[in-house]
Short mmCIF file of all heavy atoms in Angstrom, two decimals:
data_model
loop_
_atom_site.label_atom_id
_atom_site.label_comp_id
_atom_site.label_asym_id
_atom_site.label_seq_id
_atom_site.Cartn_x
_atom_site.Cartn_y
_atom_site.Cartn_z
N ASP A 1 0.88 -1.16 0.00
CA ASP A 1 0.00 0.00 0.00
C ASP A 1 0.92 1.21 0.00
O ASP A 1 1.44 1.61 1.05
CB ASP A 1 -0.90 -0.02 1.23
CG ASP A 1 -1.91 1.11 1.25
OD1 ASP A 1 -1.68 2.11 0.55
OD2 ASP A 1 -2.91 0.99 1.95
N ASN A 2 1.12 1.79 -1.16
CA ASN A 2 2.06 2.91 -1.26
C ASN A 2 1.57 4.14 -0.50
O ASN A 2 2.38 4.96 -0.05
CB ASN A 2 2.32 3.24 -2.72
CG ASN A 2 3.20 2.20 -3.39
OD1 ASN A 2 3.84 1.38 -2.74
ND2 ASN A 2 3.21 2.21 -4.72
N ALA A 3 0.28 4.28 -0.37
CA ALA A 3 -0.25 5.43 0.38
C ALA A 3 0.14 5.34 1.85
O ALA A 3 0.30 6.36 2.52
CB ALA A 3 -1.76 5.48 0.24
N LYS A 4 0.30 4.11 2.33
CA LYS A 4 0.69 3.90 3.73
C LYS A 4 2.17 3.55 3.86
O LYS A 4 2.65 3.30 4.97
CB LYS A 4 -0.15 2.77 4.34
CG LYS A 4 -1.63 3.09 4.44
CD LYS A 4 -2.39 1.95 5.11
CE LYS A 4 -3.86 2.28 5.23
NZ LYS A 4 -4.62 1.17 5.86
N ASN A 5 2.88 3.50 2.73
CA ASN A 5 4.29 3.12 2.75
C ASN A 5 4.51 1.81 3.49
O ASN A 5 5.44 1.67 4.30
CB ASN A 5 5.15 4.23 3.38
CG ASN A 5 5.25 5.44 2.49
OD1 ASN A 5 5.36 5.33 1.28
ND2 ASN A 5 5.19 6.61 3.08
N THR A 6 3.67 0.85 3.20
CA THR A 6 3.71 -0.42 3.92
C THR A 6 3.64 -1.59 2.94
O THR A 6 2.89 -1.55 1.96
CB THR A 6 2.56 -0.52 4.93
OG1 THR A 6 2.65 0.58 5.84
CG2 THR A 6 2.65 -1.81 5.73
N VAL A 7 4.43 -2.60 3.23
CA VAL A 7 4.42 -3.84 2.47
C VAL A 7 3.98 -4.96 3.40
O VAL A 7 4.34 -4.96 4.59
CB VAL A 7 5.81 -4.14 1.89
CG1 VAL A 7 5.81 -5.45 1.12
CG2 VAL A 7 6.27 -3.01 1.01
N TYR A 8 3.27 -5.91 2.85
CA TYR A 8 2.74 -7.00 3.66
C TYR A 8 3.19 -8.35 3.11
O TYR A 8 3.44 -8.50 1.91
CB TYR A 8 1.21 -6.96 3.68
CG TYR A 8 0.65 -5.65 4.12
CD1 TYR A 8 0.24 -4.69 3.18
CD2 TYR A 8 0.51 -5.34 5.47
CE1 TYR A 8 -0.28 -3.48 3.59
CE2 TYR A 8 -0.01 -4.13 5.88
CZ TYR A 8 -0.41 -3.21 4.93
OH TYR A 8 -0.92 -2.00 5.34
N LEU A 9 3.25 -9.31 3.99
CA LEU A 9 3.47 -10.69 3.58
C LEU A 9 2.45 -11.55 4.32
O LEU A 9 2.56 -11.76 5.53
CB LEU A 9 4.89 -11.17 3.89
CG LEU A 9 5.21 -12.57 3.36
CD1 LEU A 9 5.26 -12.56 1.83
CD2 LEU A 9 6.55 -13.07 3.92
N GLN A 10 1.44 -11.97 3.60
CA GLN A 10 0.43 -12.86 4.17
C GLN A 10 0.93 -14.29 4.04
O GLN A 10 1.20 -14.75 2.93
CB GLN A 10 -0.90 -12.70 3.43
CG GLN A 10 -2.00 -13.62 3.92
CD GLN A 10 -2.44 -13.30 5.34
OE1 GLN A 10 -2.61 -12.15 5.69
NE2 GLN A 10 -2.63 -14.34 6.14
N MET A 11 1.03 -14.96 5.16
CA MET A 11 1.57 -16.32 5.18
C MET A 11 0.48 -17.27 5.67
O MET A 11 0.05 -17.16 6.82
CB MET A 11 2.80 -16.38 6.08
CG MET A 11 3.88 -15.37 5.72
SD MET A 11 5.39 -15.55 6.67
CE MET A 11 4.80 -15.13 8.30
N ASN A 12 0.06 -18.15 4.82
CA ASN A 12 -0.98 -19.12 5.15
C ASN A 12 -0.39 -20.53 5.18
O ASN A 12 0.67 -20.78 4.60
CB ASN A 12 -2.11 -19.06 4.13
CG ASN A 12 -2.81 -17.71 4.11
OD1 ASN A 12 -2.90 -17.03 5.14
ND2 ASN A 12 -3.29 -17.33 2.94
N SER A 13 -1.11 -21.42 5.85
CA SER A 13 -0.68 -22.82 5.92
C SER A 13 0.78 -22.94 6.30
O SER A 13 1.57 -23.63 5.63
CB SER A 13 -0.93 -23.51 4.57
OG SER A 13 -2.29 -23.41 4.21
N LEU A 14 1.15 -22.27 7.36
CA LEU A 14 2.56 -22.25 7.77
C LEU A 14 3.05 -23.63 8.16
O LEU A 14 2.30 -24.45 8.72
CB LEU A 14 2.75 -21.26 8.92
CG LEU A 14 2.76 -19.79 8.49
CD1 LEU A 14 2.50 -18.87 9.66
CD2 LEU A 14 4.09 -19.46 7.82
N LYS A 15 4.32 -23.86 7.88
CA LYS A 15 4.96 -25.14 8.16
C LYS A 15 6.16 -24.90 9.07
O LYS A 15 6.72 -23.79 9.09
CB LYS A 15 5.45 -25.77 6.85
CG LYS A 15 4.41 -25.87 5.77
CD LYS A 15 5.03 -26.27 4.45
CE LYS A 15 4.04 -26.23 3.32
NZ LYS A 15 4.66 -26.54 2.02
N PRO A 16 6.59 -25.91 9.80
CA PRO A 16 7.77 -25.71 10.66
C PRO A 16 8.99 -25.23 9.88
O PRO A 16 9.79 -24.45 10.42
CB PRO A 16 8.00 -27.12 11.23
CG PRO A 16 6.64 -27.73 11.28
CD PRO A 16 5.95 -27.21 10.04
N GLU A 17 9.11 -25.62 8.63
CA GLU A 17 10.26 -25.18 7.82
C GLU A 17 10.17 -23.71 7.42
O GLU A 17 11.13 -23.17 6.85
CB GLU A 17 10.43 -26.05 6.58
CG GLU A 17 9.19 -26.22 5.75
CD GLU A 17 8.44 -27.52 6.07
OE1 GLU A 17 8.31 -27.87 7.28
OE2 GLU A 17 7.98 -28.18 5.12
N ASP A 18 9.07 -23.05 7.71
CA ASP A 18 8.96 -21.60 7.50
C ASP A 18 9.55 -20.81 8.67
O ASP A 18 9.62 -19.58 8.62
CB ASP A 18 7.50 -21.20 7.32
CG ASP A 18 6.89 -21.75 6.04
OD1 ASP A 18 7.59 -21.74 5.01
OD2 ASP A 18 5.73 -22.19 6.08
N THR A 19 9.96 -21.50 9.71
CA THR A 19 10.56 -20.84 10.87
C THR A 19 11.84 -20.13 10.47
O THR A 19 12.73 -20.74 9.87
CB THR A 19 10.86 -21.86 11.98
OG1 THR A 19 9.63 -22.39 12.47
CG2 THR A 19 11.63 -21.22 13.12
N ALA A 20 11.91 -18.84 10.75
CA ALA A 20 13.07 -18.03 10.36
C ALA A 20 12.87 -16.61 10.87
O ALA A 20 11.78 -16.25 11.31
CB ALA A 20 13.23 -18.01 8.85
N VAL A 21 13.93 -15.83 10.75
CA VAL A 21 13.80 -14.38 10.89
C VAL A 21 13.47 -13.83 9.51
O VAL A 21 14.17 -14.15 8.53
CB VAL A 21 15.08 -13.75 11.44
CG1 VAL A 21 14.93 -12.23 11.51
CG2 VAL A 21 15.42 -14.32 12.81
N TYR A 22 12.42 -13.05 9.43
CA TYR A 22 11.97 -12.50 8.15
C TYR A 22 12.39 -11.03 8.06
O TYR A 22 12.14 -10.24 8.97
CB TYR A 22 10.47 -12.63 8.03
CG TYR A 22 10.04 -14.04 7.68
CD1 TYR A 22 10.12 -15.06 8.62
CD2 TYR A 22 9.59 -14.37 6.40
CE1 TYR A 22 9.77 -16.37 8.30
CE2 TYR A 22 9.22 -15.66 6.08
CZ TYR A 22 9.32 -16.66 7.03
OH TYR A 22 8.96 -17.94 6.70
N TYR A 23 13.00 -10.70 6.93
CA TYR A 23 13.50 -9.36 6.70
C TYR A 23 12.78 -8.72 5.51
O TYR A 23 12.57 -9.36 4.48
CB TYR A 23 14.99 -9.39 6.39
CG TYR A 23 15.85 -9.92 7.49
CD1 TYR A 23 16.17 -11.27 7.57
CD2 TYR A 23 16.37 -9.06 8.47
CE1 TYR A 23 16.97 -11.76 8.59
CE2 TYR A 23 17.17 -9.55 9.49
CZ TYR A 23 17.46 -10.90 9.54
OH TYR A 23 18.26 -11.38 10.55
N CYS A 24 12.49 -7.46 5.68
CA CYS A 24 11.95 -6.64 4.61
C CYS A 24 13.12 -5.86 3.99
O CYS A 24 14.05 -5.46 4.71
CB CYS A 24 10.93 -5.68 5.20
SG CYS A 24 10.31 -4.42 4.13
N ALA A 25 13.07 -5.65 2.68
CA ALA A 25 14.16 -4.93 2.02
C ALA A 25 13.61 -4.09 0.87
O ALA A 25 12.57 -4.43 0.28
CB ALA A 25 15.19 -5.92 1.49
N ALA A 26 14.31 -3.00 0.57
CA ALA A 26 13.91 -2.08 -0.49
C ALA A 26 14.98 -2.03 -1.57
O ALA A 26 16.17 -1.91 -1.28
CB ALA A 26 13.67 -0.69 0.09
N ASP A 27 14.52 -2.10 -2.79
CA ASP A 27 15.41 -2.11 -3.97
C ASP A 27 15.06 -0.94 -4.88
O ASP A 27 13.98 -0.93 -5.48
CB ASP A 27 15.22 -3.44 -4.71
CG ASP A 27 15.93 -3.48 -6.05
OD1 ASP A 27 16.85 -2.66 -6.26
OD2 ASP A 27 15.56 -4.34 -6.88
N PRO A 28 15.93 0.05 -5.01
CA PRO A 28 15.67 1.15 -5.94
C PRO A 28 15.76 0.65 -7.37
O PRO A 28 16.80 0.13 -7.79
CB PRO A 28 16.77 2.16 -5.62
CG PRO A 28 17.87 1.35 -5.02
CD PRO A 28 17.23 0.20 -4.33
N THR A 29 14.68 0.76 -8.12
CA THR A 29 14.62 0.18 -9.46
C THR A 29 14.40 1.25 -10.52
O THR A 29 13.89 2.32 -10.22
CB THR A 29 13.48 -0.86 -9.54
OG1 THR A 29 12.25 -0.22 -9.16
CG2 THR A 29 13.73 -2.03 -8.61
N PRO A 30 14.77 0.96 -11.76
CA PRO A 30 14.67 1.97 -12.81
C PRO A 30 13.24 2.24 -13.28
O PRO A 30 12.96 3.32 -13.81
CB PRO A 30 15.51 1.39 -13.94
CG PRO A 30 15.51 -0.08 -13.71
CD PRO A 30 15.46 -0.25 -12.23
N THR A 31 12.34 1.28 -13.10
CA THR A 31 10.96 1.47 -13.55
C THR A 31 10.00 1.00 -12.47
O THR A 31 10.38 0.26 -11.56
CB THR A 31 10.65 0.69 -14.84
OG1 THR A 31 10.62 -0.72 -14.52
CG2 THR A 31 11.70 0.95 -15.91
N MET A 32 8.76 1.38 -12.59
CA MET A 32 7.78 1.06 -11.55
C MET A 32 7.35 -0.40 -11.56
O MET A 32 6.76 -0.88 -10.60
CB MET A 32 6.55 1.95 -11.70
CG MET A 32 5.74 1.71 -12.95
SD MET A 32 4.20 2.67 -12.92
CE MET A 32 4.83 4.33 -13.02
N ASN A 33 7.65 -1.13 -12.62
CA ASN A 33 7.22 -2.52 -12.72
C ASN A 33 8.37 -3.52 -12.55
O ASN A 33 8.18 -4.71 -12.73
CB ASN A 33 6.55 -2.77 -14.06
CG ASN A 33 5.25 -1.99 -14.19
OD1 ASN A 33 4.49 -1.88 -13.23
ND2 ASN A 33 5.01 -1.43 -15.37
N TYR A 34 9.51 -3.03 -12.17
CA TYR A 34 10.71 -3.87 -12.12
C TYR A 34 10.83 -4.56 -10.77
O TYR A 34 10.59 -3.93 -9.73
CB TYR A 34 11.92 -2.97 -12.33
CG TYR A 34 13.18 -3.67 -12.74
CD1 TYR A 34 13.44 -3.95 -14.08
CD2 TYR A 34 14.15 -4.01 -11.80
CE1 TYR A 34 14.62 -4.57 -14.46
CE2 TYR A 34 15.33 -4.63 -12.17
CZ TYR A 34 15.56 -4.90 -13.51
OH TYR A 34 16.72 -5.52 -13.88
#
């Protein structure tokens, strides 16, 4: 949601192998669809 400057990750049907530290990251890109 760019209006809120927020990114989401909806995780369903979680498995034990999904256990981890989750990091968000930003990539400056040349175009809006990249």
